[in-house]
Amino acid sequence: MGFSGLRVVVTGGGRGFGRALAVSLGREGAEVFVSARRFDAAEETAQQVRHVGGRAHAFECDLADSVSVREFAEALAETSDAVDVLVNNGAPYLDAGGFTEATDEQVAEVIAAGAAGTVLVTKAVLPLLLRSPRPDIVTMVSGCGEYGNHRSAAHEAFYAAKAAQAGFTEVLSKRLRPSGVRVISLYPPDFDDADPLGPAWDEERGTGDALGARSLVDCVRFAIGQPRDCFIKSFYFEQA
């Protein structure tokens, strides 16, 4: 139980990597606070965390809505007086088949949730992080946030949101370091999303396989598990 008692907030935890990370850390003893745009999705993940023996709380939070973000942070503060890790995972993916095929509403929502939502939820949760003796902020940026990256089929609006996250976390790392807050960013290419409760999760993977969610979970576990004098700012991945 290497993360026993660790209080971890995971946004976008209703499915995919957010769910995998919540379940994995919950299995190792962390108390997990899961948010998703729909409460039932967050609660489903929370139930999975409880199923593996962890403690979990579910919250509704639409990252594209500033009021929803503020209400989420208020509800979080009523549940816990401090948190140790904030994982900025929530950011809607968009592949509309071409730049002009996406609606204006889709473009605005993707950028609002991924860019403004990440900034606002970090700002809102920071007071709780500063009450922790070991505060970490982890952001799943994506390879789309790397300068010059063009290999993903994601819509340009998704690239824009991820570029904003990259710029935000870069400056935030420098400005929060004097306060002891570590800011960690991951820039993975497209990766396989295995079910953390399914048999594929424990399968051995090799150099010929695409990057998998379990490997990314292990990167997060490694980074937040380091002594406090070790600031791992970024993880970059070679795309096969």
Side-chain angles (χ1 to χ4, degrees):
M1 302 292 280
F3 295 108
S4 181
L6 195 72
R7 296 156 294 186
V8 183
V9 178
V10 181
T11 68
R15 58 186 176 84
F17 180 75
R19 175 173 290 184
L21 182 62
V23 171
S24 298
L25 293 179
R27 183 187 279 126
E28 295 190 60
E31 181 177 6
V32 186
F33 303 83
V34 182
S35 80
R37 187 165 52 180
R38 298 190 338 270
F39 177 80
D40 61 331
E43 178 57 28
E44 184 178 347
T45 296
Q47 289 177 3
Q48 290 188 355
V49 174
R50 297 175 195 127
H51 177 73
V52 298
R55 296 179 60 193
H57 313 267
F59 303 85
E60 180 178 315
C61 180
D62 183 353
L63 292 171
D65 183 342
S66 61
V67 174
S68 180
V69 171
R70 184 165 59 250
E71 290 176 346
F72 162 58
E74 291 170 352
L76 183 61
E78 292 175 358
T79 307
S80 179
D81 61 355
V83 298
D84 303 301
V85 183
L86 167 64
V87 181
N88 287 315
N89 173 72
Y93 183 80
L94 179 62
D95 178 7
F99 178 51
T100 59
E101 278 71 13
T103 66
D104 293 350
E105 290 75 19
Q106 285 177 310
V107 169
E109 181 180 7
V110 166
I111 295 176
T118 297
V119 174
L120 289 175
V121 79
T122 302
K123 175 176 176 284
V125 176
L126 184 58
L128 295 176
L129 285 163
L130 291 174
R131 295 175 189 166
S132 166
R134 47 157 309 164
D136 289 327
I137 298 171
V138 179
T139 303
M140 291 297 297
V141 178
S142 155
C144 294
E146 293 183 62
Y147 179 77
N149 183 300
H150 62 279
R151 293 171 293 191
S152 173
H155 190 272
E156 289 80 355
F158 183 78
Y159 270 89
K162 292 303 178 177
Q165 286 183 336
F168 170 62
T169 54
E170 178 70 26
V171 69
L172 193 69
S173 178
K174 293 177 173 59
R175 293 184 178 178
L176 289 185
R177 181 162 184 170
S179 301
V181 182
R182 300 187 300 195
V183 178
I184 304 156
S185 302
L186 281 75
Y187 293 79
D190 296 341
F191 59 90
D192 291 342
D193 244 343
D195 180 357
L197 300 179
W201 188 258
D202 294 318
E203 290 180 357
E204 184 175 349
R205 302 176 64 85
T207 55
D209 296 316
L211 181 66
R214 182 176 176 180
S215 295
L216 293 177
V217 167
D218 286 344
C219 286
V220 175
R221 293 173 61 256
F222 175 78
I224 65 179
Q226 294 305 301
R228 298 309 296 181
D229 63 343
C230 180
F231 279 66
I232 299 175
K233 188 173 73 170
S234 305
F235 285 85
Y236 291 91
F237 303 81
E238 193 73 51
Q239 182 166 352

